[in-house]
Amino acid sequence: MLHKTSLKSYFIQAVYNWCTDCGYAPQLLVYYHPCCILPKELIDSDNEAAFNISWEAVKDLKITPEYISFQASFDGGVSGQDIFIPLPCVRGIYEGETADGMMFELIAEELANLENQYQNRVNEEKNPQKEQRSLFKRIK
């Protein structure tokens, strides 16, 4: 059986294209999870952050079936900050003035899987595997 790819990234890409084709600034609404890489000061009381992801506002935008990433500057900063958002954390994409677009439910199973991946990564960083010795001996 083939692995079923989520339609979410395709919907996000479609709304993004519609916004840019119409001259709108697409806004990305994100639910914060520790797997996200983003400025913590942007997170609101609902544990969410919103980003203008128009081509004028960000650099190197990537929308994949697993994540969205880009570089953005905040508060007039010159250097771009790397932003990384796992797809399960995307709450919506919409046009900023009218809020036309698409919202997504947070799916508990996807967030649980994300949490497991995050905990595994943290554990690996805390307890790196010892380098395994080769069964082969080098002969010169």
Side-chain angles (χ1 to χ4, degrees):
M1 177 186 225
L2 293 175
H3 174 71
K4 184 177 176 185
T5 302
S6 169
L7 292 172
K8 192 173 188 178
S9 64
Y10 296 97
F11 288 135
I12 292 168
Q13 186 69 57
V15 174
Y16 176 84
N17 291 344
W18 172 77
C19 285
T20 55
D21 287 351
C22 294
Y24 302 140
Q27 307 293 311
L28 189 69
L29 182 63
V30 175
Y31 174 80
Y32 176 73
H33 181 277
C35 283
C36 297
I37 299 171
L38 53 89
K40 306 294 186 284
E41 60 271 11
L42 298 179
I43 301 166
D44 66 16
S45 61
D46 292 327
N47 207 37
E48 295 178 336
F51 297 93
N52 173 353
I53 58 168
S54 66
W55 62 271
E56 296 99 347
V58 301
K59 185 174 150 187
D60 299 329
L61 176 67
K62 290 184 182 102
I63 301 172
T64 77
E66 290 84 30
Y67 65 88
I68 295 176
S69 67
F70 54 90
Q71 287 187 341
S73 297
F74 302 96
D75 297 328
V78 178
S79 63
Q81 184 170 353
D82 290 328
I83 306 296
F84 176 84
I85 303 151
L87 219 60
C89 295
V90 175
R91 294 280 290 127
I93 182 168
Y94 55 91
E95 187 277 314
E97 290 184 28
T98 64
D100 287 340
M102 192 170 252
M103 298 300 287
F104 305 102
E105 288 185 29
L106 290 174
I107 299 173
E109 182 180 333
E110 289 180 351
L111 290 174
N113 288 340
L114 191 61
E115 182 63 28
N116 289 338
Q117 291 171 8
Y118 174 72
Q119 289 303 325
N120 289 340
R121 190 179 80 212
V122 168
N123 290 337
E124 287 173 5
E125 289 174 0
K126 286 182 181 178
N127 305 311
Q129 295 289 328
K130 291 183 180 180
E131 190 175 313
Q132 293 188 2
R133 300 185 79 192
S134 173
L135 298 176
F136 298 100
K137 183 176 181 180
R138 175 178 271 178
I139 301 174
K140 292 186 179 184

